[in-house]
Amino acid sequence: MDTILPLQGKKVLITRAKAQVEEFIQKIEEVGGIALSTPLLEIKRNESNEKNIKQTINCLDEFDCIVFTSANGVTFFKKYLDQWNIPYSALQHMVAASVGRKTSKQMEKLDLTVSVIPEEFVAEKLAEKIKEKLQRDTRILVIRGNLARPVLIEQLTAHGFYVKDLVVYETVHNDSETSKLLSYIERNDIDFITFTSSSTVDSFMKVLYQRELLEHLKKVTFICIGPITKDTLMEYGFTGVMPDSYTIDDMIKVMIDVVENKEGIQ
C-alpha cells in the first residue's frame, strides 16, 4: 500500500529567485507536494556600486563588526573577496552578526563564527541585539541588498554607531516569468502560494494587478516567511499564514498544518 504524504498532490507556487529555489522545490516534493516555480525576482551583483565595494573591502581593518542581513549578502560579498584576492582572514578581527540561522550558516564559508544573532529573525531585533552587545564607538559594516529595509541602518546610526552601508547585490523584477505565472493562476488549481520576502509579494501583485486576475486567488492559501512579508501582503488586501520560525522548513510545516486542519473539518 502506497504511503500518503502530508502534501500529497497539493500544488505549491514558489515565487522566490531562481538561485534560491532548488532547495525549496526539493523539500516540497519530499512531502508529496507539486512545486511550481515562477522566480519573479532576479538577484545580481551590484555593478553600479563596484568602486565603493572595492574601496571598502580594501579597508576592512577599519571596522570592528560585520553584519549580514541575508544569505545572498554573504554569497555576493564572498565573490568580491575572491575576485580581488582578499583573504577571509581579513575579517577575523571583527565581531560577526547575522539576521538569522541560514545567513549564519552561509557565513561559515567566510570562516566567520556568528556571535550576535537575534531570537526573532527581523532587522529590528538584530538592531536591538547589536546595541545590547557592542560599545557605541564600534564601527559597523553592514552588508545587504538594494531592497533591504533601511530600519537596521537607521536604528544603529541613531544609537551612535558609525555605520557603513554596503549594498553588494541587487534584486530586480524578472519579466521573463510573467507568462508562466499567469498561466498557473488562470488554471485555478493552486493550493498554496509562498512568499519569502516583501519584494516577492510586490512583484507578484505587480503582475496580477496588470492582468486583473486577483479574483483567481480566493481559494489560495498564502504562506509568508515572516511578519514583514505578511504585512506587505496585507497591504494588498490579502491574509497570509506565517510560521513561528522564519524558515522554509517551517513554511512547509505550516502548509501541512493547513491541509490537516481542512481534512479534519471535512
Side-chain angles (χ1 to χ4, degrees):
M1 183 175 173
D2 293 336
T3 302
I4 302 298
L5 297 170
L7 287 184
Q8 193 75 45
K10 300 299 180 184
K11 292 186 177 178
V12 182
L13 185 69
I14 305 173
T15 57
R16 73 186 323 195
K18 189 174 183 179
Q20 304 168 306
V21 81
E22 287 184 12
E23 181 187 9
F24 206 176
I25 289 174
Q26 181 184 340
K27 289 176 181 293
I28 288 168
E29 291 178 344
E30 284 172 357
V31 290
I34 300 168
L36 308 172
S37 174
T38 56
L40 298 177
L41 300 176
E42 181 182 355
I43 300 173
K44 59 183 185 178
R45 61 192 291 151
N46 187 5
E47 294 178 356
S48 63
N49 195 37
E50 210 155 275
K51 183 179 178 181
N52 181 31
I53 294 169
K54 188 170 187 178
Q55 287 176 341
T56 303
I57 283 178
N58 282 321
C59 300
L60 290 173
D61 58 338
E62 295 180 3
F63 300 97
D64 309 300
C65 172
I66 188 165
V67 182
F68 288 96
T69 64
S70 69
N72 284 322
V74 182
T75 299
F76 281 91
F77 187 75
K78 181 179 182 297
K79 286 179 180 178
Y80 283 118
L81 292 178
D82 293 343
Q83 176 184 336
W84 296 317
N85 297 312
I86 306 295
Y88 305 154
S89 59
L91 307 172
Q92 297 308 307
H93 67 284
M94 288 187 271
V95 173
S98 160
V99 75
R101 287 196 300 268
K102 186 175 180 181
T103 304
S104 299
K105 186 70 177 173
Q106 198 74 4
M107 289 165 68
E108 292 176 6
K109 295 180 179 179
L110 296 174
D111 298 330
L112 287 172
T113 300
V114 176
S115 58
V116 182
I117 182 172
E119 293 178 9
E120 188 177 346
F121 304 156
V122 292
E124 290 86 348
K125 297 299 181 181
L126 177 57
E128 287 177 17
K129 201 74 174 179
I130 290 172
K131 287 186 281 186
E132 185 182 298
K133 294 275 187 179
L134 303 180
Q135 299 294 324
R136 285 201 183 189
D137 60 353
T138 301
R139 297 173 64 85
I140 301 174
L141 175 61
V142 177
I143 310 296
R144 67 184 185 97
N146 64 315
L147 296 185
R149 295 181 304 129
V151 62
L152 177 64
I153 306 294
E154 292 170 354
Q155 290 194 11
L156 294 179
T157 302
H159 188 68
F161 292 120
Y162 170 81
V163 181
K164 172 69 176 181
D165 179 16
L166 194 64
V167 177
V168 297
Y169 71 95
E170 294 181 305
T171 305
V172 297
H173 183 73
N174 184 8
D175 290 316
S176 66
E177 291 292 318
T178 296
S179 60
K180 188 164 68 168
L181 171 62
L182 293 173
S183 69
Y184 285 147
I185 298 299
E186 287 169 345
R187 291 176 200 166
N188 282 325
D189 63 352
I190 293 174
D191 298 287
F192 297 99
I193 296 177
T194 64
F195 295 119
T196 53
S197 66
S198 291
S199 49
T200 55
V201 177
D202 290 332
S203 286
F204 178 87
M205 292 301 174
K206 174 185 174 183
V207 172
L208 266 69
Y209 267 107
Q210 289 172 346
R211 300 301 178 97
E212 298 182 348
L213 289 175
L214 297 181
E215 287 293 313
H216 290 253
L217 302 177
K218 287 183 176 178
K219 294 181 180 179
V220 173
T221 301
F222 293 101
I223 308 295
C224 300
I225 197 166
I228 308 302
T229 304
K230 185 179 178 182
D231 288 347
T232 303
L233 182 63
M234 288 180 67
E235 290 172 6
Y236 287 99
F238 292 92
T239 302
V241 185
M242 182 188 84
D244 292 330
S245 295
Y246 314 145
T247 67
I248 60 171
D249 287 310
D250 289 290
M251 291 175 77
I252 292 170
K253 288 177 185 175
V254 167
M255 287 184 245
I256 293 170
D257 288 342
V258 169
V259 170
E260 290 176 348
N261 287 336
K262 282 184 178 178
E263 290 177 352
I265 291 170
Q266 292 172 357

